[in-house]
């Protein structure tokens, strides 16, 4: 009998997909930094779109883990469980 490995799923909203290639991914990690690093390992351009040069979430990016907005936008230490759903979206602004 084979063992099924459960990994967090990272999904990007359609408005981000219009600007940059970002297919859904299942990656390993126990916090947001580890999960995003795993996604960006194969897509550095996406990483530079989501994170600034200090490794922090850019101001126009929102991330939720299991429908809760992340609290640590600087060090990305929010916990991610094996079955978590991580959503990355571009915040909209206007007037």
């Amino acid at each position: 009998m084979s063992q099924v490995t459960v990994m967090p799923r990272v999904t990007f909203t359609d408005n981000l997909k219009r600007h940059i290639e970002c297919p859904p991914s299942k990656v390993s990690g126990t916090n947001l930094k580890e999960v995003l690093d795993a996604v960006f390992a194969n897509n550095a351009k996406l990483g530079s779109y989501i994170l600034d040069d200090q490794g922090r979430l850019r101001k126009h990016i929102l991330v939720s883990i299991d429908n809760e907005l992340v609290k640590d936008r600087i060090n990305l230490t929010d916990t991610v469980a094996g079955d978590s759903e991580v959503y990355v979206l571009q915040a909209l602004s206007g007037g």
Side-chain angles (χ1 to χ4, degrees), residues 9 15 20 26 28 33 39 41-42 56 65 84-85 90:
R9 179 179 170 86
N15 64 337
I20 194 161
K26 284 197 171 193
S28 62
K33 179 170 178 25
V39 172
N42 296 320
R56 301 175 292 209
I65 302 169
S84 285
E85 293 283 339
Q90 187 171 14

Side-chain angles (χ1 to χ4, degrees), residues 1 9-10 13 29 32-34 39-40 50 57 72 76 91 95:
M1 184 184 276
R9 179 179 170 86
V10 182
T13 56
L32 183 59
K33 179 170 178 25
E34 291 175 358
V39 172
F40 303 152
I50 303 299
L57 287 175
D72 183 3
L76 313 176

Side-chain angles (χ1 to χ4, degrees), residues 9-11 13 32 35-36 57 61-71 73 78-80 84-89:
R9 179 179 170 86
V10 182
T11 304
T13 56
L32 183 59
V35 168
L36 290 179
L57 287 175
I61 298 295
L62 297 175
V63 177
S64 72
I65 302 169
D66 300 325
N67 296 317
E68 295 285 329
L69 287 177
V70 298
K71 292 174 180 49
R73 296 180 52 86
D78 294 65
T79 301
V80 178
S84 285
E85 293 283 339
V86 178
Y87 291 97
V88 181
L89 57 134

